[in-house]
Amino acid sequence: MRGRSPWALAALLLAGLISVLPAAPEAQADLFEDTYLIDIRTGSARSDLVRRLRSGGYELADGTPLSLRDWYMPDMPELTVMMLTEVTPNFGITWGLSTGEWAEKYSIAPALHLGFTTHHALSQNAVLSLSAGTVLGGRLSERPCNADYGPFGVMAVNCRLAASTLPPEETLDYLLDRKGASESWVSLRFEYRF
């Protein structure tokens, strides 16, 4: 996201979503009449991954303690709002937006969530449901540090592994880089009421 405002990307995603809505005001009113808020939450699997990294730390060569919390604590956690638009009584579109999340050594880009849910009554007591969803955008990326290795000079290194036994250049292979689509999911559910 370097050089581009994450909020601009979120606005662009929202504008794209609005542009695919029917143009007639009556059709938009009907569409929003059948739209429901289904979830507001902070965090994601990607931000949970980064949260686990905050608990570490190490000492610099001069004995100064260094806490990873300072580099991996966001100013504001990611916020996701999810909606359901009922297309028919048995089929709905799930959609939403995530704000993203930023700290000194990582960023999670804003995202658009899209999915669907459908259910069919197999009998008076049995229902089969299928739901799926994916995340467009929302890439988690981690930035390296420049570490001073004394006689070996200053080198780019994975901040979390700077004090490890790995050579600095090898630590860069362990920088986080995860697409939002890694949180895609499919759910098939059978429910029978006695």
Side-chain angles (χ1 to χ4, degrees):
M1 294 297 310
R2 292 183 193 137
R4 181 175 289 174
S5 166
W7 297 108
L9 180 57
L12 182 64
L13 290 172
L14 182 58
L17 181 64
I18 291 171
S19 71
V20 300
L21 295 175
E26 308 84 31
Q28 288 179 356
D30 289 345
L31 183 66
F32 284 116
E33 192 173 288
D34 294 327
T35 297
Y36 309 94
L37 174 66
I38 57 172
D39 192 17
I40 297 177
R41 67 180 179 273
T42 58
S44 63
R46 287 158 288 127
S47 60
D48 290 345
L49 174 63
V50 174
R51 187 179 312 119
R52 290 190 294 269
L53 303 177
R54 293 180 199 147
S55 61
Y58 49 85
E59 287 186 6
L60 300 176
D62 65 1
T64 305
L66 188 136
S67 171
L68 295 179
R69 184 173 195 80
D70 298 337
W71 289 336
Y72 292 90
M73 178 62 86
D75 292 331
M76 189 166 99
E78 182 176 38
L79 177 67
T80 300
V81 177
M82 294 296 296
M83 310 292 281
L84 168 72
T85 299
E86 186 179 335
V87 178
T88 70
N90 294 332
F91 181 79
I93 303 290
T94 55
W95 56 278
L97 293 172
S98 293
T99 60
E101 184 176 292
W102 302 269
E104 187 175 343
K105 291 299 176 185
Y106 80 95
S107 62
I108 300 173
L112 174 65
H113 299 253
L114 291 175
F116 72 90
T117 185
T118 183
H119 67 278
H120 297 283
L122 302 176
S123 70
Q124 186 175 356
N125 296 344
V127 176
L128 183 64
S129 303
L130 174 65
S131 301
T134 192
V135 179
L136 304 173
R139 180 181 213 106
L140 163 63
S141 56
E142 185 178 15
R143 290 180 287 285
C145 292
N146 288 321
D148 187 351
Y149 287 97
F152 303 105
V154 175
M155 298 180 210
V157 63
N158 182 321
C159 305
R160 297 175 286 112
L161 301 174
S164 73
T165 58
L166 290 172
E169 62 277 0
E170 286 184 26
T171 66
L172 298 175
D173 295 336
Y174 297 96
L175 288 172
L176 296 174
D177 185 15
R178 184 162 295 168
K179 295 179 181 179
S182 67
E183 293 182 29
S184 297
W185 56 274
V186 175
S187 170
L188 181 62
R189 186 174 131 194
F190 174 74
E191 181 179 335
Y192 186 83
R193 296 187 186 133
F194 296 95

mmCIF file of all heavy atoms in Angstrom, residues 36-40 82-84 94-95:
data_model
loop_
_atom_site.group_PDB
_atom_site.id
_atom_site.type_symbol
_atom_site.label_atom_id
_atom_site.label_comp_id
_atom_site.label_asym_id
_atom_site.label_seq_id
_atom_site.Cartn_x
_atom_site.Cartn_y
_atom_site.Cartn_z
ATOM 1 N N TYR A 36 -29.835 -6.442 5.310
ATOM 2 C CA TYR A 36 -29.779 -6.524 6.765
ATOM 3 C C TYR A 36 -28.331 -6.535 7.244
ATOM 4 O O TYR A 36 -27.474 -7.161 6.624
ATOM 5 C CB TYR A 36 -30.474 -7.812 7.255
ATOM 6 C CG TYR A 36 -31.849 -7.974 6.679
ATOM 7 C CD1 TYR A 36 -32.051 -8.722 5.522
ATOM 8 C CD2 TYR A 36 -32.940 -7.352 7.270
ATOM 9 C CE1 TYR A 36 -33.313 -8.861 4.976
ATOM 10 C CE2 TYR A 36 -34.208 -7.489 6.734
ATOM 11 C CZ TYR A 36 -34.392 -8.239 5.581
ATOM 12 O OH TYR A 36 -35.637 -8.367 5.036
ATOM 13 N N LEU A 37 -28.097 -5.866 8.356
ATOM 14 C CA LEU A 37 -26.796 -5.909 9.009
ATOM 15 C C LEU A 37 -26.677 -7.267 9.707
ATOM 16 O O LEU A 37 -27.548 -7.642 10.498
ATOM 17 C CB LEU A 37 -26.685 -4.787 10.042
ATOM 18 C CG LEU A 37 -25.433 -4.778 10.904
ATOM 19 C CD1 LEU A 37 -24.199 -4.500 10.058
ATOM 20 C CD2 LEU A 37 -25.562 -3.734 11.996
ATOM 21 N N ILE A 38 -25.629 -8.037 9.391
ATOM 22 C CA ILE A 38 -25.477 -9.352 10.026
ATOM 23 C C ILE A 38 -24.259 -9.436 10.948
ATOM 24 O O ILE A 38 -24.199 -10.324 11.793
ATOM 25 C CB ILE A 38 -25.443 -10.504 8.990
ATOM 26 C CG1 ILE A 38 -24.328 -10.316 7.966
ATOM 27 C CG2 ILE A 38 -26.791 -10.647 8.319
ATOM 28 C CD1 ILE A 38 -24.121 -11.499 7.034
ATOM 29 N N ASP A 39 -23.285 -8.513 10.815
ATOM 30 C CA ASP A 39 -22.113 -8.609 11.674
ATOM 31 C C ASP A 39 -21.300 -7.325 11.631
ATOM 32 O O ASP A 39 -21.148 -6.711 10.573
ATOM 33 C CB ASP A 39 -21.230 -9.780 11.200
ATOM 34 C CG ASP A 39 -20.141 -10.147 12.188
ATOM 35 O OD1 ASP A 39 -20.220 -9.749 13.361
ATOM 36 O OD2 ASP A 39 -19.198 -10.856 11.779
ATOM 37 N N ILE A 40 -20.811 -6.924 12.791
ATOM 38 C CA ILE A 40 -19.790 -5.874 12.918
ATOM 39 C C ILE A 40 -18.750 -6.461 13.845
ATOM 40 O O ILE A 40 -19.074 -6.900 14.951
ATOM 41 C CB ILE A 40 -20.352 -4.567 13.514
ATOM 42 C CG1 ILE A 40 -21.415 -3.973 12.608
ATOM 43 C CG2 ILE A 40 -19.222 -3.571 13.747
ATOM 44 C CD1 ILE A 40 -22.060 -2.713 13.163
ATOM 45 N N MET A 82 -20.552 -6.441 7.867
ATOM 46 C CA MET A 82 -21.117 -7.415 6.929
ATOM 47 C C MET A 82 -22.630 -7.230 6.816
ATOM 48 O O MET A 82 -23.305 -7.016 7.817
ATOM 49 C CB MET A 82 -20.818 -8.847 7.386
ATOM 50 C CG MET A 82 -19.349 -9.216 7.352
ATOM 51 S SD MET A 82 -18.635 -9.217 5.699
ATOM 52 C CE MET A 82 -19.571 -10.532 4.919
ATOM 53 N N MET A 83 -23.127 -7.354 5.582
ATOM 54 C CA MET A 83 -24.545 -7.198 5.281
ATOM 55 C C MET A 83 -25.046 -8.425 4.520
ATOM 56 O O MET A 83 -24.261 -9.136 3.891
ATOM 57 C CB MET A 83 -24.767 -5.950 4.418
ATOM 58 C CG MET A 83 -24.129 -4.678 4.932
ATOM 59 S SD MET A 83 -24.870 -4.057 6.435
ATOM 60 C CE MET A 83 -26.313 -3.283 5.779
ATOM 61 N N LEU A 84 -26.349 -8.636 4.559
ATOM 62 C CA LEU A 84 -27.004 -9.686 3.774
ATOM 63 C C LEU A 84 -28.121 -9.032 2.991
ATOM 64 O O LEU A 84 -28.969 -8.344 3.562
ATOM 65 C CB LEU A 84 -27.588 -10.782 4.674
ATOM 66 C CG LEU A 84 -28.524 -11.773 3.988
ATOM 67 C CD1 LEU A 84 -27.734 -12.710 3.076
ATOM 68 C CD2 LEU A 84 -29.305 -12.575 4.997
ATOM 69 N N THR A 94 -24.152 -12.056 0.564
ATOM 70 C CA THR A 94 -23.479 -11.440 1.702
ATOM 71 C C THR A 94 -22.370 -10.536 1.163
ATOM 72 O O THR A 94 -21.697 -10.892 0.198
ATOM 73 C CB THR A 94 -22.889 -12.504 2.653
ATOM 74 O OG1 THR A 94 -22.032 -13.372 1.930
ATOM 75 C CG2 THR A 94 -23.992 -13.315 3.317
ATOM 76 N N TRP A 95 -22.234 -9.382 1.767
ATOM 77 C CA TRP A 95 -21.225 -8.444 1.318
ATOM 78 C C TRP A 95 -20.829 -7.533 2.484
ATOM 79 O O TRP A 95 -21.570 -7.398 3.453
ATOM 80 C CB TRP A 95 -21.711 -7.618 0.124
ATOM 81 C CG TRP A 95 -23.000 -6.873 0.371
ATOM 82 C CD1 TRP A 95 -24.272 -7.370 0.293
ATOM 83 C CD2 TRP A 95 -23.134 -5.506 0.761
ATOM 84 N NE1 TRP A 95 -25.181 -6.402 0.600
ATOM 85 C CE2 TRP A 95 -24.519 -5.239 0.884
ATOM 86 C CE3 TRP A 95 -22.229 -4.497 1.001
ATOM 87 C CZ2 TRP A 95 -25.006 -3.992 1.257
ATOM 88 C CZ3 TRP A 95 -22.710 -3.236 1.363
ATOM 89 C CH2 TRP A 95 -24.090 -3.009 1.473
#
